């Protein structure tokens, strides 16, 4: 069983920064591709970013490219999302997810999910 817990969300002014963390239980974390997704009220769950098991490959949604950075520490079973230059349109619940079948960028290909953390960006 894989258990995932996100933290680091909160309220921030536009232009500010937040760092989300996702701690993952289990001994096979280093073999998972990891992703961050977000969902705003009344909208679908959207891809934000993903990172391969080694950290050697990353992808970003166009809307966050250049502002957000995903990273992982396999020794700590943790994946991070550094969010800079935040905009009100970044407001959403952010979810981390683990893919056990290789690198993925679509939410339905992810196998395990955290409970989500709220990020609110005020204008």
């Amino acid at each position: 069983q894989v258990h995932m817990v996100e933290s680091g969300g909160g309220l921030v002014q536009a232009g500010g920064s937040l760092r989300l963390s996702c701690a993952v239980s289990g001994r096979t974390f280093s073999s998972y591709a990891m992703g961050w997704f977000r969902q705003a009220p009344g909208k679908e769950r959207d891809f934000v970013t993903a990172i391969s098991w080694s950290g050697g490959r990353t992808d970003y949604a166009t809307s966050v490219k250049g502002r957000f950075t995903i990273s992982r520490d396999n020794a700590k079973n943790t994946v991070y999302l550094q969010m800079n230059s935040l905009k009100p349109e970044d407001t959403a619940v952010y979810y981390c997810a683990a893919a056990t079948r290789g690198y993925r960028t679509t939410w339905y290909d992810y196998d395990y999910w955290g409970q989500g953390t709220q990020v609110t960006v005020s204008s």
Side-chain angles (χ1 to χ4, degrees):
Q1 186 71 16
V2 175
H3 187 57
M4 304 168 64
V5 179
E6 299 103 332
S7 60
L11 174 64
V12 64
Q13 289 188 333
S17 299
L18 283 174
R19 189 193 195 202
L20 305 184
S21 298
C22 177
V24 182
S25 68
R27 293 175 291 177
T28 54
F29 169 79
S30 61
S31 67
Y32 298 157
M34 298 295 298
W36 287 95
F37 295 79
R38 66 186 182 186
Q39 189 166 18
K43 295 188 177 182
E44 297 183 350
R45 187 167 298 190
D46 290 332
F47 169 78
V48 176
T49 180
I51 188 168
S52 62
W53 69 270
S54 67
R57 178 180 176 180
T58 58
D59 282 283
Y60 296 89
T62 301
S63 59
V64 307
K65 197 171 294 185
R67 300 187 298 121
F68 290 12
T69 302
I70 189 172
S71 62
R72 67 189 296 161
D73 186 337
N74 287 343
K76 296 183 178 180
N77 279 21
T78 302
V79 62
Y80 305 97
L81 180 62
Q82 178 67 44
M83 304 186 294
N84 299 329
S85 302
L86 282 160
K87 304 175 181 180
E89 50 263 45
D90 295 319
T91 295
V93 177
Y94 283 71
Y95 299 89
C96 71
T100 64
R101 293 161 288 159
Y103 190 77
R104 298 287 190 270
T105 59
T106 47
W107 66 265
Y108 46 83
D109 286 323
Y110 279 73
D111 304 290
Y112 299 104
W113 292 84
Q115 82 289 349
T117 186
Q118 177 70 45
V119 171
T120 303
V121 185
S122 63
S123 55

